Amino acid sequence: METELSKQLGIEHAIFGFTPFPEVAAAITRAGGFGVLGAVRYTAPDDLARDLDRLHGLAGGKPYGLDVVMPAKKVEGVTEADVEAMIPAEHRGFVREILARHGVPELAEGEVSGWRITGWMEKVARGQLDVAFDYPIKLLANALGSPPADVIERAHDHGVLVAALAGSARHARRHVEAGIDVVVAQGYEAGGHTGEIGSMVLVPEVVEAVAPLPVLAAGGIGSGEQAAAGIALGAQGVWLGSLWLTTEEADLHSPALTAKLLAAGSGDTVRSRALTGKPARQLRTAWTDAWDDATGPGTLPMPLQGLLVAEAVSRIQKYEVGELLGTPVGQIVGRMNSERSVRAVVDDLTRGFERAVTRMNRIAGRSAT
C-alpha cells in the first residue's frame, strides 16, 4: 500500500491510525502504518510528555504523529473558569436529573473527574505543541480545521507536515489557502466530529479541489477493500480511528464499553452534540437520546458542553452504567466484532487491499482483451 505520501513519510503502508492510546499508535507504526496520537484528552503537559515518551520508545525508531484540536482563530485571555461561568444553571440541573434518573453514583469525596476534555482551549492546545515539538513527530494533524498560521509556520520550521480534517470541498480549499500539507477528507460515516457528506462523494470532491496536495480518505473504512476504494477515488492513503478501539492494545478501562462496541451494528451510532457541543458520531445511548430530545434544554456550543458533561461522563464510565455508556465511534463499528491485535488488523487491511487490487487488475485485463 505504497503511495507518494507514504514514501515521503517513510512508511510501508499508507494506513494512518488515529488513537488516544500511545500503545496503539506505536503498534500501528511498528506494523508498517503511521500511528497518530490524539492529544485532546491531555490537560497537563507532563502527561502528554509521559505518553509521547512511551510512544517514542515503543515505535522502534519508526515515524509517528500527533493530533490536536485547536481553532484557527487565536483567542487570548480566556481561562477555563471564564468558560465554566458561562454554563447556565438550567443545563447543570438537566445533567443532575439524567444521572439521578439512571441511579449513577457520585464520585468519591475529593475524587477529580478523570474525563475532562479541555484540549481545544487555546492555552491547553499550545502547551501540547510546546511538548510535541521536543519529539521527532513527522505529522501534526488538527481536527478543527486549519490550525493558526503561526502554528503551521512553527511545524514547518521543525520539518513537520501539517494535516487538517475537512468535511467538504469548501473547507478543504480553505486549508490549502492556510498552507497545510495534507487534507483528511472525513465523511459522514466517521466517528467523532464529522460533517454531512458521505465518503464516496466527499473524497473525489476534495481530491479535485486541493490537487496536487495529498488527500487521506476517512470515514466508513474498516477493510482493505474499502481502503482500496478510497485510493481508487484519488486518496493517497486512509485515516482510520474507530477500528482501533477494540484492539488488544487499546485501554478503554471498561469491559462493558468494549462489549457494547463488539455487539453494536452499523446502525447503532448517532451524530449528536451531546458530548462536545459539535456534531460527533458516537454510540446511541439513553444519554444521547436525552440531549437530542426536543423537550430538553438542548446542547451548548463547544467548549461549554464538554465542560458541562465532563464529571457526568466520568461517573458513567467509572460505574459502567450500561444505558448511558457510550463513546465516539463511526458506522464501521458493525465490522468491529472481535478483539484482535493491531498487527492482525493491519495484516487484514493489507490482505484485503491486495485482493481488491488483484480483482481490479483482472477486470482491467479482461477489458483490454
Side-chain angles (χ1 to χ4, degrees), residues 6-358:
S6 69
K7 291 176 183 177
Q8 181 181 357
L9 288 169
I11 59 176
E12 184 179 357
H13 308 303
I15 297 170
F16 293 75
F18 164 78
T19 174
F21 307 114
E23 292 81 5
V24 174
I28 294 167
T29 286
R30 290 198 308 273
F34 190 93
V36 181
L37 180 65
V40 71
R41 68 191 180 97
Y42 295 98
T43 58
D46 289 348
D47 291 339
L48 178 58
R50 177 202 63 217
D51 279 3
L52 280 173
D53 279 340
R54 182 158 182 76
L55 168 54
H56 184 73
L58 292 172
K62 295 183 177 182
Y64 56 88
L66 188 73
D67 179 277
V68 297
V69 179
M70 63 189 309
K73 294 182 179 179
K74 186 174 181 179
V75 179
E76 299 281 6
V78 178
T79 67
E80 186 176 331
D82 294 333
V83 178
E84 286 269 14
M86 300 176 189
I87 298 174
E90 177 188 12
H91 286 74
R92 294 191 185 278
F94 187 65
V95 170
R96 290 193 295 270
E97 191 274 327
I98 297 173
L99 297 177
R101 189 193 320 157
H102 291 274
V104 182
E106 298 275 356
L107 294 176
E109 186 175 351
E111 184 176 357
V112 178
S113 168
W115 188 96
R116 192 167 183 80
I117 294 180
T118 57
W120 49 64
M121 297 184 68
E122 181 78 20
K123 182 179 179 180
V124 176
R126 287 185 176 274
Q128 293 168 351
L129 295 176
D130 290 339
V131 172
F133 289 126
D134 286 336
Y135 294 82
I137 61 172
K138 299 299 182 183
L139 180 75
L140 176 69
N142 188 36
L144 279 185
S146 303
D150 66 297
V151 172
I152 296 174
E153 182 179 0
R154 186 178 178 188
H156 288 165
D157 287 345
H158 283 80
V160 176
L161 295 180
V162 180
L165 275 65
S168 71
R170 177 170 53 88
H171 293 156
R173 292 188 192 99
R174 289 180 183 170
H175 297 338
V176 176
E177 294 169 359
I180 62 93
D181 308 292
V182 181
V183 175
V184 181
Q186 181 171 278
Y188 173 79
E189 309 94 325
H193 297 130
T194 189
E196 299 179 343
I197 305 174
S199 298
M200 186 63 71
V201 173
L202 178 66
V203 173
E205 284 187 351
V206 171
V207 168
E208 182 178 352
V210 305
L213 256 62
V215 172
L216 298 177
I221 299 173
S223 72
E225 287 84 356
Q226 290 166 319
I231 292 176
L233 293 172
Q236 288 199 28
V238 291
W239 177 276
L240 312 177
S242 299
L243 196 62
W244 316 108
L245 289 174
T246 53
T247 57
E248 294 169 355
E249 292 87 347
D251 189 7
L252 290 176
H253 299 291
S254 174
L257 180 54
T258 298
K260 287 190 76 170
L261 288 169
L262 294 173
S266 56
D268 293 328
T269 69
V270 63
R271 190 168 166 268
S272 170
R273 298 177 184 269
L275 189 61
T276 70
K278 281 186 174 291
R281 185 169 297 284
Q282 55 202 280
L283 283 178
R284 181 175 181 177
T285 65
W287 176 261
T288 62
D289 287 347
W291 281 104
D292 294 339
D293 192 320
T295 62
T299 56
L300 298 170
M302 179 186 277
L304 300 181
Q305 183 72 14
L307 292 173
L308 167 66
V309 305
E311 181 182 320
V313 172
S314 280
R315 289 163 60 184
I316 291 166
Q317 291 178 344
K318 176 178 180 178
Y319 299 110
E320 297 191 304
V321 183
E323 289 185 327
L324 301 177
L325 189 62
T327 187
V329 70
Q331 291 179 334
I332 201 63
V333 70
R335 294 185 62 94
M336 296 158 49
N337 48 27
S338 65
E339 290 187 75
R340 298 180 293 165
S341 68
V342 167
R343 170 69 70 173
V345 172
V346 172
D347 287 347
D348 186 55
L349 288 168
T350 55
R351 284 194 298 266
F353 178 83
E354 185 176 358
R355 286 194 301 269
V357 171
T358 299

